[in-house]
């Protein structure tokens, strides 16, 4: 079935936030608290396919209490940023990769696959409507596409109706005053994803399942949780929402392979390409928690960092584990971590050449 792509209707907000108030909110927006005036919305039904595409005033949704997402969690999402570039233009970073991953997630959750061009168009149109909300400096406009089962039915089956939406949030510099290494807690009790499960899909349910471990990490005085594989409880997988890299003393990098239980991060993929461009060896291979401790103690491992769209790169300084705590390097931010972060950040903001064609310019 290939119905023609629906045309977008634009219903401008009748009372958008005043320019002075907006400027005020953009001074120190933090993350995920300041929202723009509009949202994108496209409906899907088995009967009509994708239809009713619109950019409209952002506001609450009427939700029937029997909407199936509220009961069976058929929901997926994405996260990407629009940046102000050094030359005054604006660009999205690799939206085509998010579009593809959104389709993969939809497939895993038995949801309809939004055509990639429609995904990108919905974001382009929302950013065009809310361009004044893109902060300058080190900030960005964080875009959150998502889709959920809106059918009013309590039977357990893939829903026949869905709502796809995009909302946007102005975010500030993540690393104000320089990078701060985080501490991580190794979860021995809980796992995030199992073989055959939804670990490689970006679905809300994965986060719901990870929160108890994240809470345990906080109780241990740590910032984030590290998940091990569900089968052997031995192999390092990722954090609740970020992929992990390990830097060895010979300059090579190791990151866990994408075997279906790890979310295929676009930041991860970009950093692998950049590291290889810089002449570094990157191995996608399993890395065991005991090996991590041993390598950190012997000095064979010199740096570790997490990565994802929100913070881009986050150094890991300390690991807390029931089998023994350890420090990574000197506990600070390593040189390779710093260098890779700067290289990616410079491309994202149009301050460096973009040899991979990752920037998607908006006109
Ligand atoms: C989104 C996400 C990441 C990071 O992906 P990016 O595309 O780099 O933002 C990593 N792990 C999980 C579980 C995620 O949901």
């Amino acid at each position: 079935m290939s119905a023609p792509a629906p045309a977008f209707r634009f219903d401008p907000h009748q009372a958008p936030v005043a320019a002075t108030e907006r400027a005020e909110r953009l001074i120190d927006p933090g993350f995920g608290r300041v929202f723009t005036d509009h949202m994108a919305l496209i409906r899907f039904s088995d009967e009509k396919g994708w239809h009713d595409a619109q950019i409209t005033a952002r506001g609450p949704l009427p939700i029937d209490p029997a909407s199936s997402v509220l009961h069976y969690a058929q929901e997926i999402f994405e996260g990407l940023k629009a940046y102000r570039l050094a030359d005054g233009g604006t660009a999205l970073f690799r939206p085509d990769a998010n579009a593809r991953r959104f389709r993969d997630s939809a497939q895993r959750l038995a949801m309809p696959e939004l055509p990639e061009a429609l995904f990108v168009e919905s974001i382009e149109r929302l950013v065009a409507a809310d361009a004044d909300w893109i902060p300058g400096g080190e900030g960005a406009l964080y875009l959150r596409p998502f889709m959920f089962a809106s059918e009013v039915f309590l039977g357990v089956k893939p829903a026949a109706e869905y709502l796809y939406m995009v909302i946007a949030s102005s975010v500030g510099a993540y690393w104000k005053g320089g990078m701060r290494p985080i501490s991580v807690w190794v979860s021995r009790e809980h796992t995030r994803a199992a073989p055959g499960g939804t670990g490689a899909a970006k679905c809300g349910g994965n986060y719901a399942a990870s929160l108890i471990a994240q809470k345990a990490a906080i109780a241990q005085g740590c910032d984030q949780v590290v998940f091990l594989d569900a089968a052997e409880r031995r192999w390092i997988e990722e954090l609740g929402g970020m992929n992990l890299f390990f830097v060895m003393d010979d300059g090579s990098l190791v990151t866990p392979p994408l075997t279906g239980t790890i979310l295929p991060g676009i930041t991860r993929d970009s950093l692998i390409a950049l590291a290889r461009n810089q002449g570094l060896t990157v191995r996608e291979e399993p890395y065991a928690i005991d090996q991590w401790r041993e390598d950190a103690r012997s000095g064979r491992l010199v740096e570790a960092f997490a990565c994802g769209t929100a913070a881009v790169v986050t150094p890991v300084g300390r690991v807390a584990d029931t089998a023994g705590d350890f420090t990574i390097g000197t506990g600070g931010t390593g040189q390779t971590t710093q260098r890779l972060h700067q290289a990616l950040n410079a491309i994202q903001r149009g301050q460096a050449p973009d040899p991979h064609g990752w920037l998607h310019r908006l006109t």
Side-chain angles (χ1 to χ4, degrees):
M1 182 190 76
S2 73
F8 277 81
R9 186 173 80 239
F10 181 33
D11 284 332
H13 200 303
Q14 292 307 303
V17 173
T20 46
E21 169 64 19
R22 186 176 61 232
E24 189 83 7
R25 293 188 199 173
L26 291 183
I27 291 171
D28 186 18
F31 184 86
R33 293 188 187 281
V34 172
F35 296 101
T36 64
D37 293 314
H38 297 90
M39 61 187 187
L41 193 157
I42 312 176
R43 293 179 199 281
F44 179 92
S45 68
D46 281 356
E47 210 172 298
K48 294 190 193 168
W50 297 102
H51 65 283
D52 198 18
Q54 51 187 289
I55 303 294
T56 190
R58 186 184 181 281
L61 299 171
I63 290 268
D64 189 285
S67 297
S68 62
V69 66
L70 299 179
H71 305 273
Y72 310 123
Q74 217 189 349
E75 189 270 354
I76 58 170
F77 67 96
E78 272 301 327
L80 70 162
K81 282 176 176 171
Y83 295 94
R84 277 213 190 288
L85 304 179
D87 66 5
T90 52
L92 299 168
F93 184 71
R94 304 188 69 180
D96 50 318
N98 294 91
R100 210 173 313 124
R101 190 169 66 187
F102 196 65
R103 283 185 58 161
D104 292 342
S105 297
Q107 207 226 346
R108 178 62 185 81
L109 276 279
M111 299 168 89
E113 294 177 34
L114 182 69
E116 289 168 29
L118 201 49
F119 177 96
V120 174
E121 184 184 355
S122 68
I123 294 167
E124 287 173 341
R125 289 185 184 273
L126 179 62
V127 176
D130 286 334
D132 291 342
W133 289 91
I134 309 176
E138 286 295 292
L141 188 65
Y142 181 81
L143 295 146
R144 169 53 61 88
F146 61 104
M147 172 166 51
F148 61 89
S150 55
E151 187 184 3
V152 178
F153 180 52
L154 291 181
V156 179
K157 66 158 184 77
E161 288 169 27
Y162 297 86
L163 219 51
Y164 163 78
M165 304 185 67
V166 189
I167 54 173
S169 173
S170 308
V171 301
Y174 197 93
W175 296 116
K176 252 187 305 188
M179 283 198 207
R180 187 186 64 88
I182 58 164
S183 55
V184 296
W185 164 252
V186 180
S187 182
R188 297 282 183 170
E189 192 179 353
H190 301 105
T191 56
R192 178 188 164 274
T198 56
K202 210 166 172 73
C203 62
N206 288 342
Y207 279 75
S210 75
L211 295 178
I212 188 173
Q214 175 63 26
K215 203 167 127 183
I218 302 288
Q220 294 291 332
C222 292
D223 299 296
Q224 292 277 335
V225 59
V226 179
F227 287 104
L228 303 179
D229 78 289
E232 296 182 62
R233 307 286 182 113
R234 176 177 174 211
W235 306 105
I236 300 162
E237 298 221 304
E238 61 173 317
L239 306 187
M242 283 188 275
N243 297 117
L244 278 170
F245 279 85
F246 307 94
V247 185
M248 303 301 162
D249 63 352
D250 64 359
S252 66
L253 283 89
V254 171
T255 191
L258 302 178
T259 51
T261 53
I262 292 175
L263 200 286
I266 295 162
T267 316
R268 174 189 181 279
D269 183 73
S270 307
L271 289 170
I272 290 174
L274 285 183
R276 287 181 178 155
N277 289 161
Q278 294 182 4
L280 302 175
T281 299
V282 184
R283 291 186 301 279
E284 293 180 73
E285 65 185 24
Y287 193 53
I289 179 63
D290 292 339
Q291 192 70 47
W292 191 12
R293 185 184 312 99
E294 195 178 309
D295 290 344
R297 287 182 177 163
S298 73
R300 193 174 92 87
L301 173 118
V302 290
E303 303 175 32
F305 62 86
C307 67
T309 294
V312 185
V313 166
T314 303
V316 176
R318 192 173 63 84
V319 181
D321 180 17
T322 49
D325 298 356
F326 54 99
T327 301
I328 310 295
T330 57
T333 301
Q335 276 178 13
T336 302
T337 303
Q338 190 83 49
R339 197 148 39 87
L340 285 171
H341 178 253
Q342 274 166 2
L344 184 51
N345 191 56
I347 293 174
Q348 288 171 331
R349 295 177 184 281
Q351 298 159 351
D354 175 25
H356 300 277
W358 286 336
L359 290 187
H360 179 92
R361 281 195 177 253
L362 302 170
T363 44

